[in-house]
Amino acid sequence: MATLLLRLAGPMQAWGTTSRFDERDSGMEPSKSGVIGLICAALGRDRGLPVDDLAALRMAVRVDREGLLMRDYQTATGVLLATGKLRPDRTVVSPRFYLSDAVFLVGLEGDASLLDTIHRALQRPVWPLSLGRKAMPPSLPVWLPEGVQQGDLLTVLGSWPRLATVQGEQAGQPLRLMLEHPSEGAVRLDQPVGPFAQRRFGPRFVKPEVIHVSDQTQA
């Protein structure tokens, strides 16, 4: 069993799973649909193509630095009404939520050859990578040297150095971990069940855990 690691760090990230109409939400951790979308961009995989192989990977997120949830005030002009009629002269308020200054270590567990292919693509992505929205690029490469490790998710995430400097009372404290589980935890509706063009997502269980990691940061 192999595990691929991705570094998601940037001044702004947005990982929405329940956005409808004008309001755009963000979870406190990366969604699986968002991470798979990022990988599709790296691979150059079109929105109309299947993502079954990527959706089958088991995912966990280690929260190396919690983000601050922020609300951005935006407006949109030229919106569709509930009747389906376009009103080009109408302007609505569209709140957009995002995470500020968060750092995550994402692990994907599965077939080693597929993970190697993704790892190479992350180093030289076909299309630009973003952290949930196109306007939110990563501040550091998503690709990590030696980012494919032999071992299960928990072992690899527990042995990889921290990505963010430990400050003050955080010293010696465990990190928050969101682990995909077959039957336990909270339900997240972010499991792709078809090409992204179809926008179909199913449920998966995500179990909150903590993981003890050395205070040493990555050089």
Side-chain angles (χ1 to χ4, degrees):
M1 186 64 69
T3 295
L4 168 67
L5 297 175
L6 295 77
R7 172 176 49 198
L8 303 184
M12 301 171 72
Q13 305 188 33
W15 305 104
T17 58
T18 61
S19 295
R20 295 290 184 274
F21 307 110
D22 304 329
E23 185 165 309
R24 297 287 183 251
D25 73 307
S26 176
M28 295 304 293
E29 313 88 22
S31 63
K32 189 169 185 181
S33 55
V35 171
I36 291 177
L38 181 149
I39 291 172
C40 284
L43 294 168
R45 190 177 296 190
D46 187 80
R47 289 174 56 84
L49 296 176
V51 294
D52 306 37
D53 54 341
L54 304 178
L57 300 171
R58 185 183 179 214
M59 186 174 107
V61 178
R62 196 182 83 184
V63 183
D64 281 38
R65 185 165 64 214
E66 298 280 358
L68 181 63
L69 187 63
M70 306 289 287
R71 179 180 184 272
D72 195 16
Y73 177 89
Q74 293 191 21
T75 60
T77 300
V79 296
L80 281 175
L81 303 179
T83 60
K85 184 179 179 182
L86 179 64
R87 283 284 304 275
D89 59 335
R90 183 177 181 183
T91 298
V92 298
V93 175
S94 178
R96 310 289 172 103
F97 292 86
Y98 65 91
L99 293 177
S100 174
D101 208 25
V103 179
F104 302 104
L105 180 66
V106 173
L108 294 167
E109 181 186 82
D111 177 72
S113 62
L114 174 60
L115 297 181
D116 283 333
T117 300
I118 298 171
H119 188 234
R120 290 194 296 273
L122 290 172
Q123 188 176 20
R124 296 180 178 81
V126 175
W127 296 322
L129 305 183
S130 57
L131 303 178
R133 291 178 193 147
K134 289 183 179 178
M136 301 179 180
S139 57
L140 293 169
V142 174
W143 176 84
L144 287 167
E146 301 180 4
V148 178
Q149 297 280 312
Q150 292 301 316
D152 62 87
L153 263 178
L154 285 177
T155 302
V156 173
L157 288 172
S159 60
W160 194 267
R162 293 181 185 237
L163 301 178
T165 304
V166 177
Q167 296 180 337
E169 60 186 17
Q170 298 173 347
Q173 297 299 311
L175 296 173
R176 195 162 60 85
L177 182 79
M178 302 301 287
L179 177 67
E180 188 172 328
H181 193 278
S183 58
E184 296 180 17
V187 174
R188 298 277 179 91
L189 295 173
D190 63 352
Q191 175 74 18
V193 294
F196 276 102
Q198 297 180 7
R199 300 187 62 80
R200 293 193 298 127
F201 304 98
R204 69 183 179 108
F205 290 102
V206 178
K207 190 176 181 181
E209 305 261 4
V210 294
I211 188 167
H212 292 271
V213 182
S214 167
D215 286 349
Q216 178 186 1
T217 55
Q218 191 176 41

